[in-house]
Amino acid sequence: MAHYEFQGSTVPIVRFTQIGSTNAEGMARLARNETFPVWLVADIQTAGRGRRGRPWTSELGNLFASLVLPNPAPVANLAQLCFVAGLALRDAVLAAAPEIRPEALKLKWPNDLLLDGGKVAGILVEGGSDPSGRPAAVIGFGVNCLHHPDDLPYRATSLEASGAPTAPDRLLEALDLAMAVRLNQWNAGAGFPAIRTDWMRYALGMGDQVSVRIGEREVVGRFENIDTRGAMMLRRKDGIAEIITAGDVSLGKTD
């Protein structure tokens, strides 16, 4: 069980005009043994990060926010927070930008939100332990509200470009409430079966041919499922089932 129950807007917000990284600040607070959830929100990040340390473009007008969670669940369940956060972000975008068609928003394994096929948001979950040895996590959200980069190897978009202009604070308010609902549903991992079912309902590429880049290796096969831990279950063309815990997914690839 989680050591606290989330009540949405009761989670305090700490705002920064400019900061290196809200996730890095969150990890620093955990290292100082701070024991209560908090939102860290920045107008601009100068050292924003995505998965595997990749830089995250941070322009004024987008949402950069991290939710710091001291002791949310056993360490073995922390990776499930990617799916909790993905569902909550999808819920929040639909609540804050009602112009968007629900079917246009898809969740890409394990941590991206796509709008009409373009990446509109990324999620970075970092886990660890506090100085007392208790599990801890920081969930970072980067959402393209006003701007989106054009120089990426994949298509990106923004809420503005999709005809749904949304202020970052409006989205944060909706995300705060949505995270409370989804975290309580998750219940420190006890409710992950329901989270998993909901996530697969909106999953991009479920049942389709995908390619997964794992370091220098590429695996191609049919995206069959996610397992009870959240790992991707891929059926290769040779019939072998492969369990993938991390990687970069592309759709429509063939051998």
Side-chain angles (χ1 to χ4, degrees):
M1 293 288 290
H3 289 226
Y4 36 73
E5 182 176 352
F6 292 89
Q7 299 292 340
S9 59
T10 61
V11 177
I13 298 172
V14 176
R15 296 182 179 273
F16 302 89
T17 301
Q18 181 173 298
I19 195 172
S21 160
T22 55
N23 259 43
E25 173 66 15
M27 296 300 287
R29 286 171 179 252
L30 290 172
R32 296 196 296 266
N33 218 16
E34 298 188 16
T35 58
F36 295 100
V38 64
W39 280 105
L40 305 174
V41 183
D43 293 338
I44 295 175
Q45 294 184 120
T46 58
R49 293 177 291 121
R51 290 176 62 238
R52 302 180 184 178
R54 294 167 180 155
W56 183 271
T57 302
S58 302
E59 295 190 71
L60 186 65
N62 290 346
L63 177 64
F64 313 108
S66 295
L67 179 59
V68 182
L69 298 177
N71 204 16
V75 170
N77 295 344
L78 293 183
Q80 299 170 1
L81 285 167
C82 280
F83 303 94
V84 177
L87 284 169
L89 182 55
R90 184 181 183 277
D91 295 341
V93 169
L94 290 174
E99 304 93 336
I100 291 176
R101 297 172 292 108
E103 61 271 20
L105 279 176
K106 297 291 184 180
L107 295 164
K108 182 182 175 186
W109 186 90
N111 62 348
D112 290 342
L113 182 66
L114 272 63
L115 175 55
D116 288 322
K119 182 172 175 176
V120 73
I123 297 166
L124 176 62
V125 177
E126 296 185 282
S129 300
D130 67 17
S132 301
R134 294 170 300 192
V138 178
I139 308 174
F141 299 87
V143 185
N144 298 334
C145 294
L146 184 60
H147 309 281
H148 64 276
D150 295 316
D151 56 347
L152 299 175
Y154 52 83
R155 190 168 72 84
T157 189
S158 65
L159 298 178
E160 175 80 18
S162 298
T166 306
D169 280 354
R170 181 181 177 189
L171 181 57
L172 177 64
E173 181 179 4
L175 181 58
D176 180 41
L177 295 172
M179 279 299 296
V181 171
R182 291 297 185 176
L183 283 166
N184 286 327
Q185 178 189 20
W186 177 58
N187 192 20
F192 185 64
I195 290 289
R196 175 177 172 269
T197 297
D198 286 352
W199 189 93
M200 288 193 297
R201 186 175 295 125
Y202 311 119
L204 183 74
M206 186 70 70
D208 296 336
Q209 183 95 337
V210 302
S211 170
V212 186
R213 174 69 63 178
I214 309 167
E216 297 302 314
R217 177 170 169 256
E218 185 177 48
V219 183
V220 177
R222 183 175 179 268
F223 182 6
E224 289 192 332
N225 213 333
I226 63 170
D227 69 12
T228 56
R229 302 167 301 159
M232 174 183 279
M233 303 172 70
L234 197 73
R235 181 73 59 179
R236 297 183 344 207
K237 283 193 172 183
D238 59 11
I240 295 175
E242 184 154 347
I243 304 300
I244 299 172
T245 58
D248 294 319
V249 176
S250 300
L251 301 183
K253 294 295 183 72
T254 60
D255 291 314

